[in-house]
């Protein structure tokens, strides 16, 4: 989802009821926009460069076993989005687009759509693994999700989520977890939730270690136990002021951007105006309409706008596939392109018979006859391939 840059407070209040645009109105110097200590040039950290080079499909295309063909190398024209790219867009007042992804196909789609930032979120616990909240997902599993997205998204700036239980104990634990996500997951930065003193210390320690950090305030799903559920924040004066203070504290810790989730529009406007770093909002499955089951309503945010009905298309395709399997119209010869040479068919049948596999030889002969009739334009009821 793209969150257009806020030009006036009025524009912000006229847009999303929950999320502000992606960046603030204050045009300040680069040094004040992004205070993290990562590289400022156009090149990624060395470990990222290696991870991305190893995991990408940039090798020359070769004939593929499967009918879809080989993956094509990424376009040389599309330049990778870096922290410097985001700084420049924020300084010029250009919109910053960000969305979530959890797997390789999503990464490919997001890259092709030209998004600036992709978050590999711990919400994968809910939308990819069916949990009721984000707490169960582990660091190892998050790294696997990051690796999968990184294989597909070769130009988008990637943010990996630190899951619950991987950065709360100490700054040393936080830095160690962040390093793993960067090195093993192949991402450009990490995200952590909350603004308690321990979270601020963790964010600062990670930034001091040379890793870009994105903050996350408002509704912080990892605090579902303390919050008593998924509850919007900033709905009282005291709570609203705390949101602003939290945003400023994360900026002071060196975060390059802050996610605002489930806060009222005036609070989002105030935070966006007070900060000199971008404020961001993110979705994926909900904007595509991936989930159509009524039970999904319990994890579908009210602030999301649905731009597609992918779930309905998936359901129709699965139902059609099931029907064709049951009626034996799929699979057929056109979906079995791997052939024995004509000169080898008889030899294969004889070899089977010599082994006493007469029934298998008859089945193979029937399959050859069936394929020939289909090729010659005589439709056959598929009893061989079923």
């Amino acid at each position: 989802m793209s969150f257009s840059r806020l030009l006036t407070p009025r524009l912000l209040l006229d847009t999303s009821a929950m999320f502000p645009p992606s960046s603030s109105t204050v045009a300040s110097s680069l040094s004040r926009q992004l205070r993290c200590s990562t590289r400022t040039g156009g090149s990624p950290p060395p470990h990222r460069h290696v991870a991305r080079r190893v995991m990408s499909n940039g090798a020359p295309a070769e004939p593929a076993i499967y009918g879809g063909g080989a993956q094509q190398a990424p376009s040389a024209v599309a330049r990778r989005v870096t922290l410097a790219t985001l700084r420049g867009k924020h300084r010029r007042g250009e919109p910053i687009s960000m969305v979530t992804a959890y797997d390789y196909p999503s990464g490919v789609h997001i890259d092709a759509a030209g998004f600036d930032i992709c978050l590999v979120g711990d919400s994968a616990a809910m939308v990819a693994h069916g949990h009721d909240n984000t707490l169960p997902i582990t660091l190892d599993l998050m790294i696997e999700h990051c690796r999968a997205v990184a294989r597909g998204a070769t130009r988008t700036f990637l943010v990996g989520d630190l899951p619950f239980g991987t950065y709360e104990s100490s700054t040393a634990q936080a830095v160690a977890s962040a390093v793993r996500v960067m090195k093993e997951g192949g991402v450009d930065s990490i995200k952590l939730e909350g603004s308690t003193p321990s979270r601020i210390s963790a964010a600062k320690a990670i930034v001091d270690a040379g890793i870009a950090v994105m903050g996350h305030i408002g509704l912080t799903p990892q605090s579902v136990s303390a919050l008593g559920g998924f509850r919007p924040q900033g709905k009282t004066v005291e709570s609203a002021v705390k949101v602003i203070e939290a945003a400023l504290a994360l900026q002071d810790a060196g975060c390059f951007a802050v996610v605002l989730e489930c806060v009222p529009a005036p609070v989002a406007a105030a935070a966006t105006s007070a900060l000199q770093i971008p404020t961001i909002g993110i979705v994926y499955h909900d904007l595509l309409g991936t989930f159509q089951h009524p039970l999904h309503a319990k994890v579908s945010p009210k602030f999301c706008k649905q731009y597609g009905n992918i779930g309905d298309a998936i359901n129709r395709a699965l139902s059609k596939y099931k029907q064709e399997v049951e009626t034996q119209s799929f699979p057929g010869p056109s979906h079995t392109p791997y052939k024995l040479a004509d000169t080898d068919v008889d030899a294969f049948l004889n070899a089977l018979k010599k082994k006493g596999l007469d029934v298998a030889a008859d089945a193979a002969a029937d399959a050859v006859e069936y394929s020939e009739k289909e090729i010659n334009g005589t439709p056959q009821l598929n009893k061989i391939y079923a």
Side-chain angles (χ1 to χ4, degrees):
M1 180 181 293
S2 173
F3 296 86
S4 303
R5 177 181 171 86
L6 175 64
L7 299 179
T8 67
R10 179 183 299 276
L11 286 178
L12 175 64
L13 296 177
D14 287 342
T15 56
S16 169
M18 289 296 180
F19 283 140
S22 60
S23 56
S24 71
T25 59
V26 181
S28 60
S29 66
L30 280 177
S31 62
R32 296 192 64 190
Q33 288 179 40
L34 297 174
R35 296 181 56 221
C36 64
S37 59
T38 54
R39 289 171 171 80
T40 58
S43 299
H47 62 262
R48 170 60 193 276
H49 182 70
V50 172
R52 183 60 64 84
R53 182 179 295 273
V54 170
M55 294 191 297
S56 68
N57 287 326
E62 296 180 357
I65 295 175
Y66 301 105
Q71 292 288 333
Q72 299 299 314
S75 171
V77 178
R79 299 184 61 182
R80 281 199 37 239
V81 178
T82 67
L83 211 54
T85 310
L86 300 176
R87 289 189 182 112
K89 296 195 75 169
H90 183 266
R91 183 183 67 252
R92 294 188 298 271
E94 298 176 5
I96 296 175
S97 58
M98 177 168 164
V99 74
T100 52
Y102 312 103
D103 53 31
Y104 171 77
S106 301
V108 171
H109 287 304
I110 287 170
D111 225 41
F115 277 90
D116 298 313
I117 308 175
C118 173
L119 168 67
V120 186
D122 63 353
S123 49
M126 302 175 73
V127 299
H129 298 282
H131 294 291
D132 289 334
N133 54 57
T134 64
L135 304 185
I137 199 164
T138 64
L139 183 61
D140 287 340
L141 189 52
M142 276 303 307
I143 288 172
E144 288 303 317
H145 281 290
C146 288
R147 288 171 60 84
V149 174
R151 293 185 189 103
T154 59
R155 60 160 296 280
T156 305
F157 187 87
L158 297 183
V159 182
D161 233 343
L162 290 185
F164 178 72
T166 64
Y167 60 97
E168 298 88 346
S169 297
S170 66
T171 55
Q173 182 201 32
V175 172
S177 297
V179 168
R180 281 200 64 196
V181 174
M182 291 286 289
K183 292 182 68 173
E184 300 175 38
V187 299
D188 299 288
S189 62
I190 64 94
K191 181 178 78 68
L192 54 74
E193 293 185 9
S195 59
T196 62
S198 63
R199 306 295 174 90
I200 298 298
S201 296
K204 187 177 186 305
I206 295 170
V207 170
D208 288 345
I211 297 173
V213 177
M214 175 179 285
H216 183 162
I217 57 176
L219 169 59
T220 48
Q222 291 179 12
S223 302
V224 62
S225 176
L227 295 176
F230 297 109
R231 301 185 183 280
Q233 301 298 299
K235 296 180 67 177
T236 66
V237 173
E238 181 182 7
S239 177
V241 171
K242 285 183 177 179
V243 170
I244 308 304
E245 292 175 341
L248 290 170
L250 287 168
Q251 177 177 259
D252 289 342
C255 291
F256 72 90
V258 175
V259 171
L260 295 177
E261 182 171 354
C262 288
V263 297
V267 180
T272 300
S273 181
L275 293 175
Q276 297 174 20
I277 57 176
T279 54
I280 303 289
I282 34 90
V283 288
Y284 183 74
H285 285 75
D286 300 292
L287 75 85
L288 295 178
T290 303
F291 295 103
Q292 300 298 313
H293 196 281
L295 291 178
H296 179 62
K298 66 181 180 180
V299 296
S300 184
K302 294 180 180 179
F303 56 76
C304 289
K305 178 179 179 180
Q306 185 171 313
Y307 288 81
N309 197 7
I310 304 301
D312 186 57
I314 292 173
N315 291 339
R316 288 199 306 270
L318 290 174
S319 296
K320 185 175 181 180
Y321 166 70
K322 177 175 178 289
Q323 180 184 21
E324 290 191 2
V325 169
E326 292 176 344
T327 58
Q328 299 183 352
S329 58
F330 176 85
S334 61
H335 305 103
T336 311
Y338 319 109
K339 306 295 183 183
L340 274 175
D342 292 340
T343 54
D344 291 335
V345 171
D346 288 339
F348 174 58
L349 299 179
N350 290 332
L352 290 174
K353 291 179 179 178
K354 288 180 179 179
K355 292 180 175 293
L357 300 174
D358 291 356
V359 175
D362 291 341
D366 289 342
V368 172
E369 181 181 1
Y370 172 76
S371 298
E372 290 175 348
K373 289 182 178 180
E374 284 282 343
I375 292 172
N376 293 330
T378 305
Q380 302 290 313
L381 180 63
N382 185 4
K383 294 184 178 180
I384 295 175
Y385 291 86

